[in-house]
Amino acid sequence: MKFLFVHQNMPGQYREMIQWLADQGEHEIVFLTQRNDVKLPGVSTATYKSHHQPAADAYGLSKDWEAAAGNGIGAALAARQLEAKEGFKPDIIIGHTGWGELTFMKEVWPDVPIIGFFEYFYRTTGGLVGFDPENPPGEHAGFFAHARNTVPFANIDVVDLGHSPTYWQRDRFPRSFHDKIYVSHDGIRTDRLQPDAKASIGLGRLPKPLSRDDEVITYIARNMERARGFHVMMRALPKILSDRPNARILMIGGNETSYGRESTHPAGLRGEMEDELGDSVDWSRVHFLGRVPYGDLCKIIRISRCHIYLTMPFVLSWSLLESMSMQATVVAADVEPVREAVTHNETGMLVDFFDPDALANQVVDVLANPGAYAHLGPNARAHVVETYDFLTRCMPEHARQINALLPASKQLKI
């Protein structure tokens, strides 16, 4: 079968699916993207450039759509070139709707089915906007939130089928979308992501590697930002470190802002929080590791005695489910998307996002009384295996949905 994947940031949410298809050895796979620095075995890469970028002073309410339209035209023109120069016409197109890349694909191949990834629908309640009292929405926030939804509105009729990884994400979209969107996670490779009691990792300023013998607390986010509760995590540090004098905190993530308000501090939110906390924290036991290679990330999770996952109501991070698969003892924010994956006192402990003292107290208790929480890690892994495993749960469902759009002669083997 001929697959065309479309995502500006290859491989995006399709990392596991593409590898699985390539391993079958019987498909032609092309990935259309803006990146030219990613090579995947068994996958041909085709690049596109945005056909138009909005000016810096473009009208705010239409700026996102203007950028998406430029991406859409750029991707469609590149798709035409694929067929004209290389004779490639896909049997199915699978891609992300969020940046407009799929918007005009039916103008190129009107008879080719499309599955579109619907990731997030912006509203002024129940999500990022208006959640944090430290960052109240402006009087025009509702206008801007609704304007950002122009792209999914333009794409829901373009795609033959939609896809969301969690029910919370699907339910953000209007009810009129729901019958067209199936729910299945991208998938976690639980066969690879298993606990390892012998794991260890060296840090440059420590004389010996850290292991499960050490009291390690972990926090992971793509970027250390408010949307992922970095400010709450930082405010919990004084009590955690005071009550647990042998604990070390390993913080993984960049110092940028992906979502929401940026810090005005010259050193970003990390600098802002370091200034706020001052000498109330023993900084020698806090390790900011930046972004680390995936293999090191897994080692760090495997040595963690307590893994902290904080987020405002937003897209669930892979890192939470991966940590659960590796049998981490998780303390997480008690918000709706997290509750879809974590059940309090069964697969993890949930705390009020806005209460750093509650977070600190819960982490301290996990470390002080490990026997009382010994059930959480095994239960967490069992839940992820049952619900989010790529090979046994997620890919079979994706394959069923793909097959429903294809003739019998071109269907995937499940």
Side-chain angles (χ1 to χ4, degrees):
M1 197 191 324
K2 294 182 179 181
F3 285 87
L4 178 66
F5 286 87
V6 186
H7 194 302
Q8 63 169 5
N9 187 25
M10 176 185 181
Q13 287 82 6
Y14 303 111
R15 181 185 69 191
E16 302 299 346
M17 184 186 293
I18 287 174
Q19 181 178 330
W20 185 85
L21 290 169
D23 287 346
Q24 289 193 332
E26 57 191 55
H27 307 297
E28 185 177 354
I29 306 168
V30 176
F31 207 117
L32 183 58
T33 181
Q34 290 187 8
R35 298 185 66 173
N36 57 14
D37 61 337
V38 178
K39 304 297 180 185
L40 298 175
V43 180
S44 299
T45 303
T47 58
Y48 81 89
K49 293 182 179 179
S50 173
H51 194 259
H52 171 78
Q53 291 286 341
D57 62 348
Y59 184 51
L61 289 176
S62 58
K63 195 171 185 177
D64 283 337
W65 166 246
E66 192 175 350
N71 286 336
I73 292 292
L77 293 177
R80 279 184 175 171
Q81 290 298 308
L82 274 174
E83 185 168 27
K85 292 187 176 181
E86 301 180 29
F88 178 81
K89 180 182 178 181
D91 295 307
I92 192 164
I93 300 168
I94 301 174
H96 201 297
T97 63
W99 296 283
E101 298 155 306
L102 299 179
T103 306
F104 306 109
M105 282 294 168
K106 286 290 189 181
E107 302 304 315
V108 182
W109 293 303
D111 58 336
V112 175
I114 299 175
I115 297 179
F117 189 100
F118 286 81
E119 186 168 19
Y120 192 73
F121 191 87
Y122 286 87
R123 298 180 184 272
T124 53
T125 58
L128 289 177
V129 178
F131 180 73
D132 189 351
E134 292 185 20
N135 186 27
E139 61 176 323
H140 296 151
F143 303 145
F144 283 96
H146 194 55
R148 294 190 71 171
N149 295 324
T150 302
V151 182
F153 275 121
N155 276 260
I156 191 62
D157 285 328
V158 171
V159 304
D160 296 87
L161 188 63
H163 161 233
S164 289
T166 68
Y167 287 96
W168 183 83
Q169 285 168 263
R170 185 207 62 182
D171 291 348
R172 297 288 297 166
F173 289 89
R175 287 190 178 276
S176 59
F177 283 46
H178 291 187
D179 288 345
K180 206 171 188 179
I181 297 176
Y182 77 95
V183 176
S184 181
H185 196 266
D186 318 324
I188 302 298
R189 286 300 299 262
T190 64
D191 56 324
R192 298 172 182 168
L193 297 172
Q194 299 188 36
D196 180 3
K198 297 180 180 179
S200 66
I201 190 165
L203 299 182
R205 59 182 161 109
L206 297 181
K208 65 181 184 66
L210 294 172
S211 71
R212 291 286 297 182
D213 294 331
D214 299 289
E215 196 166 274
V216 173
I217 302 163
T218 50
Y219 166 90
I220 298 171
R222 182 169 67 174
N223 283 305
M224 293 183 289
E225 57 188 327
R226 290 178 178 273
R228 297 306 191 188
F230 176 70
H231 57 311
V232 179
M233 174 68 194
M234 290 289 278
R235 287 168 180 161
L237 291 182
K239 180 171 179 54
I240 293 173
L241 292 170
S242 173
D243 287 7
R244 305 302 300 175
N246 294 318
R248 290 191 176 274
I249 316 286
L250 274 55
M251 310 269 269
I252 298 173
N255 199 33
E256 301 166 8
T257 301
S258 300
Y259 315 105
R261 176 174 66 88
E262 294 187 21
S263 172
T264 58
H265 194 283
L269 184 58
R270 174 182 165 183
E272 178 183 333
M273 297 311 302
E274 286 176 338
D275 284 354
E276 176 183 316
L277 295 169
D279 61 5
S280 67
V281 171
D282 179 0
W283 297 109
S284 69
R285 293 192 282 135
V286 181
H287 303 262
F288 293 97
L289 304 181
R291 296 191 177 101
V292 303
Y294 186 69
D296 289 343
L297 176 74
C298 293
K299 290 179 182 177
I300 290 167
I301 292 171
R302 287 176 173 127
I303 67 171
S304 177
R305 299 258 193 104
C306 182
H307 178 65
I308 298 170
Y309 177 69
L310 300 176
T311 184
M312 295 182 185
F314 196 55
V315 174
L316 201 67
S317 305
W318 276 16
S319 67
L320 171 63
L321 298 176
E322 290 177 330
S323 300
M324 293 170 70
S325 179
M326 287 182 274
Q327 215 159 288
T329 301
V330 171
V331 175
D334 187 9
V335 294
E336 191 173 354
V338 175
R339 289 195 293 271
E340 187 169 329
V342 178
T343 300
H344 183 64
N345 204 28
E346 291 185 17
T347 55
M349 303 303 293
L350 300 178
V351 297
D352 184 344
F353 176 90
F354 296 110
D355 193 341
D357 288 336
L359 172 62
N361 287 334
Q362 184 62 79
V363 171
V364 167
D365 200 53
V366 164
L367 298 174
N369 301 291
Y373 301 94
H375 63 290
L376 296 180
N379 285 355
R381 174 168 170 78
H383 176 63
V384 172
V385 169
E386 174 65 24
T387 311
Y388 301 102
D389 180 66
F390 174 77
L391 293 175
T392 63
R393 289 293 180 182
C394 299
M395 190 59 223
E397 178 61 20
H398 292 308
R400 281 191 288 272
Q401 299 292 344
I402 290 168
N403 286 347
L405 299 177
L406 295 171
S409 60
K410 293 186 177 181
Q411 295 198 349
L412 288 171
K413 299 173 185 176
I414 303 177

